[in-house]
Amino acid sequence: MTIEQTYFRKGFGLKDEVRPLIESEYHSALVEEIRARGYQARYGDVTVRLAEEFGFCYGVDRAVDYAYETRRKFPEKTVYLVGEIIHNPHVNQRMREMDIRFLYPDSKGRFEFSEVEPADVVILPAFGVTIEAFEELRKIGCVLVDTTCGSVLLVWKRVEGYAKDGFTSVIHGKFKHEESRATASQVRKHPNGRYLMVRDMDEAELVCDYIAGRPGKLSREDFLERFREKSSDGFDPDRDLERFGVANQTTMLASDSLAIGQRLEAALIEARGPAYAAENYRSFGTICSATQERQDAVVKMMENPPDIMIVIGGYNSSNTNHLAHLCRSYTKTFHIQDSLCIDVETGEIRHKPELAAEAPERTETEWLPEGPFQLGLTAGASTPNNKIGEALLRVLEIRGTAPEPSTLAQSE
Ligand code: SF4
C-alpha cells in the first residue's frame, strides 16, 4: 500500500452494507414511536417525555459506522482501537465481539503500541488522539482509520492557531479526557506553544486571581504545583498568562465555558486594562452543536420539569455527565450507565448521583412516586436508542404496565 492508502478518514463506501446491522443493533421502535407522537406518550400512570434532542450525535454515528465498515473491509486483519470508540459500554462491548482489540492508555494517558504490526489496522476514536500517538502509529506504517469528529478538528485548529500566534491556550476541559489531551497536544505543532487546562469555575478563579494579582492568589510555586499535570512542559504563569485564547472540550456545559471565558477576560482587563486585553485575549466557543442542542433540549423540557428524570450514558461520558448535572438543578435525576441499572425484580435503581467522575454509584429503593407521574428521558451523545428503550421498558415493568404489543414486537 502507498502512504495515501494507509490513511482513511472518509470510510470505505460500505455504509449501505453496514447500516442494516447497525440499525438492528441500536435502533428502538419504542423510542421512535414516542418521538413520532411529539416526544410524549402515556403508558398506564406514567407519562413519558423525551427530550427533543438526545442520543447518538453526528460524530458518534460516523465513528460507529466507520468501525463497522473497517471490520467488513478487513475481515482477516488484526484491528485495534486506540482507547474506546466512544464512551458507551454497550457499544464498546459490540466492538469486542467483532474481535476489535482495545489499546488502553497508562495513567498519564500515553499509549503503548509495541504490539501493533505494519500489517494491522488501527481505528482512531471520535475524540481523536494526541499528536505523539498519531505520529507513532504513522511510523509503524499500519492502516489508520481516523474517525476524529469534525467538531473536534475545529477545536484543534483553533488551539493550533493560538499557538502559532504566540497565545497560550486556556482549555476548559478535563485533563484526563482523551479529547482534551488530544486538543492540548496540538499546541506542540509550534515550538513555543503552551496550554493550561481548567476543569471548572473554581480552577478558573485561581487562574483569574493569579492574572489579576489579587490578594490571596497562589504563589508561583503553588500555581505550578496545582496545575502541574494540566499545563504544557515549562509552563510559566508569569510569562504564559500575558496573552491567551480560550477554547473548550466540545462536551462541557456551554454556560460554564462561556462564564469561564468571561471571568478570564475580566481578570486580564483588571490587570492590564481594556486596550491591552482587546489585543491579547481571544475566545472562541468550541462546544459542538450536538452537545449544545442536547443541553438546550433539556433546558426546554425543564420549563415544566418532569417528576423524575433519567439520563442514560457512560459514567465516563463528559456530555452525559453534564446533561445529568443540568437536570439535577431542576428535578430528581438519575444518571444510569445502562438499562441494567434498573432492576425489575427488586424495583431498585443504581445511579451516579454526582458530577465528579469518581463519584461512587448509589442504589435507591423508593425512587418512583406512588401515583401517576411524569418521567423525563434523555441520553448522552454516545448512547444508542435501544438502551433508552430498554431503560423505559424496565421502568414500565416495575409499574406493571407496558407499551402496546405492536410496539414491543418491533423494538426491544
Ligand atoms: S459530542 Fe460533539 S464533538 Fe463529540 S463526537 Fe459528538 S458531535 Fe463530535
Side-chain angles (χ1 to χ4, degrees), residues 310-313 315 334-338 341-342 349-351 391:
I310 295 182
V311 182
I312 308 153
Y315 290 157
F334 299 93
H335 173 186
I336 61 172
Q337 176 139 269
D338 191 89
C341 292
I342 299 170
I349 189 167
R350 275 184 293 115
H351 68 114

Side-chain angles (χ1 to χ4, degrees), residues 25-35 43 48 50 54-55 90 310-313 336 338-340 342 344 375 377-379 383-397 401-403 407-408 410-412:
E25 294 190 346
Y26 303 125
H27 175 81
S28 164
L30 176 57
V31 168
E32 287 314 317
E33 179 180 291
I34 300 170
R35 197 204 301 258
Y43 304 103
V48 179
L50 203 52
F54 60 89
H90 173 64
I310 295 182
V311 182
I312 308 153
I336 61 172
D338 191 89
S339 53
L340 296 175
I342 299 170
V344 175
L375 170 68
L377 283 175
T378 191
T383 306
N385 282 1
N386 63 331
K387 291 293 141 188
I388 306 171
E390 284 171 20
L392 173 57
L393 283 176
R394 284 172 171 261
V395 176
L396 296 181
E397 200 174 337
T401 186
T407 304
L408 278 173
Q410 302 165 42
S411 92
E412 280 59 40

Side-chain angles (χ1 to χ4, degrees), residues 30 97 141 146 160 212 225 263 285 362-363 374 386 395 410:
L30 176 57
E97 287 161 9
D146 188 349
E160 193 197 335
E225 180 55 28
R263 294 292 298 156
R362 187 188 294 162
T363 301
Q374 283 195 0
N386 63 331
V395 176
Q410 302 165 42

Side-chain angles (χ1 to χ4, degrees), residues 41-155:
R42 190 178 166 108
Y43 304 103
D45 62 358
V46 186
T47 301
V48 179
R49 291 171 56 200
L50 203 52
E52 290 183 17
E53 291 290 341
F54 60 89
F56 271 14
C57 58
Y58 49 87
V60 164
D61 249 340
R62 180 172 164 276
V64 171
D65 255 9
Y66 285 10
Y68 278 71
E69 285 191 38
T70 303
R71 186 69 282 180
R72 184 157 295 219
K73 174 82 178 171
F74 303 106
E76 308 295 335
K77 285 195 178 260
T78 301
V79 178
Y80 290 100
L81 189 52
V82 182
E84 300 184 330
I85 182 89
I86 54 171
H87 285 150
N88 183 273
H90 173 64
V91 177
N92 286 316
Q93 181 54 29
R94 280 297 299 125
M95 297 291 136
R96 287 188 193 93
E97 287 161 9
M98 291 194 294
D99 197 21
I100 293 178
R101 303 182 191 181
F102 282 54
L103 297 160
Y104 282 107
D106 64 17
S107 61
K108 302 236 181 275
R110 282 185 298 251
F111 286 91
E112 160 60 55
F113 297 126
S114 57
E115 66 188 273
V116 179
E117 304 278 343
D120 297 338
V121 178
V122 177
I123 303 172
L124 309 182
F127 338 98
V129 297
T130 62
I131 290 183
E132 292 75 15
F134 185 82
E135 284 173 353
E136 208 177 316
L137 287 165
R138 290 303 275 155
K139 268 191 212 136
I140 292 171
C142 53
V143 169
L144 285 188
V145 181
D146 188 349
T147 79
T148 308
C149 178
S151 294
V152 173
L153 294 176
L154 281 180
V155 191

